[in-house]
Amino acid sequence: QVQLVESGGGLVQAGGSLRLSCTVSGSIFSNNVMHWYRQAAGKQRELVAAISSGGTTKYADSVKGRFTVSRDTANNTVYLQMKSLKAEDTAVYYCHVGTIFWTTDIRGYWGQGTQVTVSS
């Protein structure tokens, strides 16, 4: 059974940094695409970042230059380093593993979500 366990969310002041982690059980991690999505209260889920098994990355324009996605294949973990956080980054952040790069296709596996709150 594939499981995704996220951690690292919390409360931070605007301009601060956080690093989210998502550890994936099972061999599915090494051969698939990892995504980070977020969903703010009352808004649709937004695709934030993606990283392929080969290390190709892509970011939403709203986070480009501030967020960095990386993966540690040895530890089946994907990270989202967030810097220069803004109030509008406040959301529940979800990791997702699937087969299509940079997609809103919800098929695949999802983490439980971790809350990030940025105070202004």
Side-chain angles (χ1 to χ4, degrees), residues 16 21 26-27 32 55 74 85 87 91 103 112:
S21 301
S27 61
N32 285 278
L85 284 161
T103 179
Q112 80 284 359

Side-chain angles (χ1 to χ4, degrees), residues 8-54:
L11 174 65
V12 63
Q13 288 188 332
S17 300
L18 281 175
R19 189 177 79 158
L20 306 183
S21 301
C22 174
T23 300
V24 184
S25 64
S27 61
I28 191 172
F29 176 84
S30 60
N31 297 317
N32 285 278
V33 181
M34 298 298 301
H35 297 98
W36 285 99
Y37 290 79
R38 67 185 180 187
Q39 188 166 20
K43 295 187 177 181
Q44 290 188 332
R45 190 171 296 185
E46 175 189 15
L47 180 54
V48 174
I51 184 166
S52 71
S53 58

Side-chain angles (χ1 to χ4, degrees), residues 34-113:
M34 298 298 301
H35 297 98
W36 285 99
Y37 290 79
R38 67 185 180 187
Q39 188 166 20
K43 295 187 177 181
Q44 290 188 332
R45 190 171 296 185
E46 175 189 15
L47 180 54
V48 174
I51 184 166
S52 71
S53 58
T56 301
T57 59
K58 186 172 182 176
Y59 301 92
D61 288 343
S62 58
V63 307
K64 202 172 294 183
R66 300 188 297 120
F67 289 13
T68 303
V69 61
S70 60
R71 61 194 295 164
D72 180 349
T73 302
N75 293 301
N76 284 1
T77 301
V78 62
Y79 302 99
L80 186 67
Q81 178 68 52
M82 306 184 293
K83 299 180 179 179
S84 302
L85 284 161
K86 305 175 182 180
E88 51 263 44
D89 295 318
T90 295
V92 178
Y93 284 71
Y94 299 89
C95 66
H96 167 266
V97 59
T99 58
I100 304 173
F101 187 78
W102 197 255
T103 179
T104 55
D105 186 334
I106 64 171
R107 289 175 292 179
Y109 300 92
W110 292 85
Q112 80 284 359

